Amino acid sequence: MPSDMKERIAREFAQLARTKSVDKITVKDIVEACHITRQTFYYHFQDLIDVIDWSFHRIAEELVERSLKLDSRQQVMELFLSEAVHADGMIRRLLSSQLREQTERLMVESIRICFQEMVDRKALFQDVSRSDVQVALDFYTFATVGILLEYCSRPNLDVKHLAGQLVSLMDGSFQKRSRED
């Protein structure tokens, strides 16, 4: 039951953020929207940052599980981009608030967790030093977050095409592909 309550609190926070500035949302607002006591809120979360943190990590876990069922890196990148496009409004509201720094950190952490889980579960980079794997994960994490922030709010974004470009860039076939487009 506790995760159901956490889910409910996170959902109400997201709902409130659609109509109200993130900086103006209070624990009282969430408590009233959920019809719960402050004690119940604080039983599940320390503060609003904790709600956002939990939400990002839950989404990252879901993305990992969904991505592991896909057959190609192209499909995985399409999934990441589609989810980011879907969440772009909320991400923009968080980035426009006083929570910008925490939001950026959570985005980086969440994407990094996804990539690390995929590397671990699919046993990728087995012949690569741990240090090199960490640098690669950092590179792909920061590049992906940057692309998500730059491209996902663009109208009429062709997710499939952008995913193909990113995968081509990652596997080194980007130059050859660029001449063919």
PDB file of all heavy atoms in Angstrom, residues 157-173:
ATOM      1  N   LEU A 157       8.757  17.147 -33.714  1.00  0.00           N
ATOM      2  CA  LEU A 157      10.016  16.411 -33.625  1.00  0.00           C
ATOM      3  C   LEU A 157       9.819  15.013 -34.198  1.00  0.00           C
ATOM      4  O   LEU A 157       8.894  14.305 -33.822  1.00  0.00           O
ATOM      5  CB  LEU A 157      10.479  16.312 -32.164  1.00  0.00           C
ATOM      6  CG  LEU A 157      11.735  15.476 -31.919  1.00  0.00           C
ATOM      7  CD1 LEU A 157      12.951  16.156 -32.541  1.00  0.00           C
ATOM      8  CD2 LEU A 157      11.940  15.263 -30.433  1.00  0.00           C
ATOM      9  N   ASP A 158      10.691  14.642 -35.112  1.00  0.00           N
ATOM     10  CA  ASP A 158      10.670  13.293 -35.677  1.00  0.00           C
ATOM     11  C   ASP A 158      11.539  12.409 -34.783  1.00  0.00           C
ATOM     12  O   ASP A 158      12.754  12.326 -34.947  1.00  0.00           O
ATOM     13  CB  ASP A 158      11.198  13.321 -37.115  1.00  0.00           C
ATOM     14  CG  ASP A 158      11.110  11.973 -37.810  1.00  0.00           C
ATOM     15  OD1 ASP A 158      10.931  10.941 -37.124  1.00  0.00           O
ATOM     16  OD2 ASP A 158      11.241  11.959 -39.051  1.00  0.00           O
ATOM     17  N   VAL A 159      10.895  11.782 -33.808  1.00  0.00           N
ATOM     18  CA  VAL A 159      11.588  10.975 -32.806  1.00  0.00           C
ATOM     19  C   VAL A 159      12.378   9.850 -33.459  1.00  0.00           C
ATOM     20  O   VAL A 159      13.526   9.597 -33.111  1.00  0.00           O
ATOM     21  CB  VAL A 159      10.582  10.425 -31.766  1.00  0.00           C
ATOM     22  CG1 VAL A 159      11.211   9.379 -30.872  1.00  0.00           C
ATOM     23  CG2 VAL A 159      10.017  11.563 -30.930  1.00  0.00           C
ATOM     24  N   LYS A 160      11.787   9.195 -34.426  1.00  0.00           N
ATOM     25  CA  LYS A 160      12.440   8.065 -35.097  1.00  0.00           C
ATOM     26  C   LYS A 160      13.724   8.526 -35.797  1.00  0.00           C
ATOM     27  O   LYS A 160      14.767   7.880 -35.694  1.00  0.00           O
ATOM     28  CB  LYS A 160      11.467   7.425 -36.079  1.00  0.00           C
ATOM     29  CG  LYS A 160      11.897   6.095 -36.611  1.00  0.00           C
ATOM     30  CD  LYS A 160      10.782   5.523 -37.500  1.00  0.00           C
ATOM     31  CE  LYS A 160      10.808   4.047 -37.538  1.00  0.00           C
ATOM     32  NZ  LYS A 160      10.312   3.330 -36.409  1.00  0.00           N
ATOM     33  N   HIS A 161      13.651   9.650 -36.490  1.00  0.00           N
ATOM     34  CA  HIS A 161      14.815  10.167 -37.211  1.00  0.00           C
ATOM     35  C   HIS A 161      15.910  10.592 -36.234  1.00  0.00           C
ATOM     36  O   HIS A 161      17.085  10.247 -36.424  1.00  0.00           O
ATOM     37  CB  HIS A 161      14.411  11.341 -38.111  1.00  0.00           C
ATOM     38  CG  HIS A 161      15.535  11.884 -38.927  1.00  0.00           C
ATOM     39  ND1 HIS A 161      16.105  11.197 -39.974  1.00  0.00           N
ATOM     40  CD2 HIS A 161      16.228  13.053 -38.829  1.00  0.00           C
ATOM     41  CE1 HIS A 161      17.083  11.909 -40.496  1.00  0.00           C
ATOM     42  NE2 HIS A 161      17.177  13.038 -39.816  1.00  0.00           N
ATOM     43  N   LEU A 162      15.540  11.338 -35.188  1.00  0.00           N
ATOM     44  CA  LEU A 162      16.531  11.777 -34.206  1.00  0.00           C
ATOM     45  C   LEU A 162      17.156  10.570 -33.503  1.00  0.00           C
ATOM     46  O   LEU A 162      18.373  10.534 -33.292  1.00  0.00           O
ATOM     47  CB  LEU A 162      15.904  12.727 -33.181  1.00  0.00           C
ATOM     48  CG  LEU A 162      16.847  13.262 -32.099  1.00  0.00           C
ATOM     49  CD1 LEU A 162      18.045  13.994 -32.705  1.00  0.00           C
ATOM     50  CD2 LEU A 162      16.076  14.180 -31.145  1.00  0.00           C
ATOM     51  N   ALA A 163      16.357   9.575 -33.174  1.00  0.00           N
ATOM     52  CA  ALA A 163      16.888   8.352 -32.545  1.00  0.00           C
ATOM     53  C   ALA A 163      17.903   7.694 -33.470  1.00  0.00           C
ATOM     54  O   ALA A 163      18.972   7.265 -33.030  1.00  0.00           O
ATOM     55  CB  ALA A 163      15.758   7.384 -32.208  1.00  0.00           C
ATOM     56  N   GLY A 164      17.593   7.641 -34.763  1.00  0.00           N
ATOM     57  CA  GLY A 164      18.523   7.059 -35.739  1.00  0.00           C
ATOM     58  C   GLY A 164      19.816   7.849 -35.808  1.00  0.00           C
ATOM     59  O   GLY A 164      20.905   7.264 -35.879  1.00  0.00           O
ATOM     60  N   GLN A 165      19.716   9.163 -35.777  1.00  0.00           N
ATOM     61  CA  GLN A 165      20.914   9.996 -35.804  1.00  0.00           C
ATOM     62  C   GLN A 165      21.780   9.731 -34.564  1.00  0.00           C
ATOM     63  O   GLN A 165      23.006   9.613 -34.676  1.00  0.00           O
ATOM     64  CB  GLN A 165      20.535  11.476 -35.861  1.00  0.00           C
ATOM     65  CG  GLN A 165      19.956  11.902 -37.198  1.00  0.00           C
ATOM     66  CD  GLN A 165      19.472  13.341 -37.152  1.00  0.00           C
ATOM     67  OE1 GLN A 165      18.679  13.709 -36.289  1.00  0.00           O
ATOM     68  NE2 GLN A 165      19.958  14.142 -38.094  1.00  0.00           N
ATOM     69  N   LEU A 166      21.153   9.653 -33.410  1.00  0.00           N
ATOM     70  CA  LEU A 166      21.900   9.432 -32.166  1.00  0.00           C
ATOM     71  C   LEU A 166      22.564   8.058 -32.141  1.00  0.00           C
ATOM     72  O   LEU A 166      23.726   7.942 -31.743  1.00  0.00           O
ATOM     73  CB  LEU A 166      20.979   9.607 -30.949  1.00  0.00           C
ATOM     74  CG  LEU A 166      20.468  11.028 -30.734  1.00  0.00           C
ATOM     75  CD1 LEU A 166      19.428  11.056 -29.620  1.00  0.00           C
ATOM     76  CD2 LEU A 166      21.614  11.979 -30.428  1.00  0.00           C
ATOM     77  N   VAL A 167      21.849   7.055 -32.575  1.00  0.00           N
ATOM     78  CA  VAL A 167      22.430   5.709 -32.608  1.00  0.00           C
ATOM     79  C   VAL A 167      23.594   5.673 -33.600  1.00  0.00           C
ATOM     80  O   VAL A 167      24.638   5.095 -33.316  1.00  0.00           O
ATOM     81  CB  VAL A 167      21.352   4.646 -32.933  1.00  0.00           C
ATOM     82  CG1 VAL A 167      21.982   3.294 -33.231  1.00  0.00           C
ATOM     83  CG2 VAL A 167      20.366   4.529 -31.776  1.00  0.00           C
ATOM     84  N   SER A 168      23.429   6.316 -34.749  1.00  0.00           N
ATOM     85  CA  SER A 168      24.518   6.372 -35.735  1.00  0.00           C
ATOM     86  C   SER A 168      25.735   7.098 -35.175  1.00  0.00           C
ATOM     87  O   SER A 168      26.870   6.676 -35.398  1.00  0.00           O
ATOM     88  CB  SER A 168      24.061   7.092 -37.004  1.00  0.00           C
ATOM     89  OG  SER A 168      23.084   6.335 -37.666  1.00  0.00           O
ATOM     90  N   LEU A 169      25.493   8.153 -34.445  1.00  0.00           N
ATOM     91  CA  LEU A 169      26.590   8.881 -33.816  1.00  0.00           C
ATOM     92  C   LEU A 169      27.293   8.001 -32.789  1.00  0.00           C
ATOM     93  O   LEU A 169      28.520   7.945 -32.735  1.00  0.00           O
ATOM     94  CB  LEU A 169      26.051  10.147 -33.155  1.00  0.00           C
ATOM     95  CG  LEU A 169      27.060  11.109 -32.554  1.00  0.00           C
ATOM     96  CD1 LEU A 169      28.015  11.620 -33.621  1.00  0.00           C
ATOM     97  CD2 LEU A 169      26.336  12.262 -31.892  1.00  0.00           C
ATOM     98  N   MET A 170      26.514   7.266 -32.006  1.00  0.00           N
ATOM     99  CA  MET A 170      27.083   6.408 -30.967  1.00  0.00           C
ATOM    100  C   MET A 170      27.880   5.236 -31.537  1.00  0.00           C
ATOM    101  O   MET A 170      28.877   4.830 -30.963  1.00  0.00           O
ATOM    102  CB  MET A 170      25.974   5.881 -30.047  1.00  0.00           C
ATOM    103  CG  MET A 170      25.380   6.925 -29.151  1.00  0.00           C
ATOM    104  SD  MET A 170      24.019   6.227 -28.203  1.00  0.00           S
ATOM    105  CE  MET A 170      23.494   7.629 -27.249  1.00  0.00           C
ATOM    106  N   ASP A 171      27.425   4.686 -32.652  1.00  0.00           N
ATOM    107  CA  ASP A 171      28.138   3.513 -33.184  1.00  0.00           C
ATOM    108  C   ASP A 171      29.180   3.871 -34.246  1.00  0.00           C
ATOM    109  O   ASP A 171      29.809   2.999 -34.838  1.00  0.00           O
ATOM    110  CB  ASP A 171      27.171   2.439 -33.687  1.00  0.00           C
ATOM    111  CG  ASP A 171      26.424   2.812 -34.955  1.00  0.00           C
ATOM    112  OD1 ASP A 171      26.790   3.788 -35.639  1.00  0.00           O
ATOM    113  OD2 ASP A 171      25.445   2.112 -35.271  1.00  0.00           O
ATOM    114  N   GLY A 172      29.358   5.162 -34.503  1.00  0.00           N
ATOM    115  CA  GLY A 172      30.423   5.591 -35.409  1.00  0.00           C
ATOM    116  C   GLY A 172      30.047   5.612 -36.876  1.00  0.00           C
ATOM    117  O   GLY A 172      30.895   5.856 -37.726  1.00  0.00           O
ATOM    118  N   SER A 173      28.809   5.352 -37.211  1.00  0.00           N
ATOM    119  CA  SER A 173      28.412   5.353 -38.617  1.00  0.00           C
ATOM    120  C   SER A 173      27.764   6.677 -39.022  1.00  0.00           C
ATOM    121  O   SER A 173      27.211   6.796 -40.111  1.00  0.00           O
ATOM    122  CB  SER A 173      27.449   4.197 -38.896  1.00  0.00           C
ATOM    123  OG  SER A 173      26.241   4.365 -38.174  1.00  0.00           O
TER     124      SER A 173
END
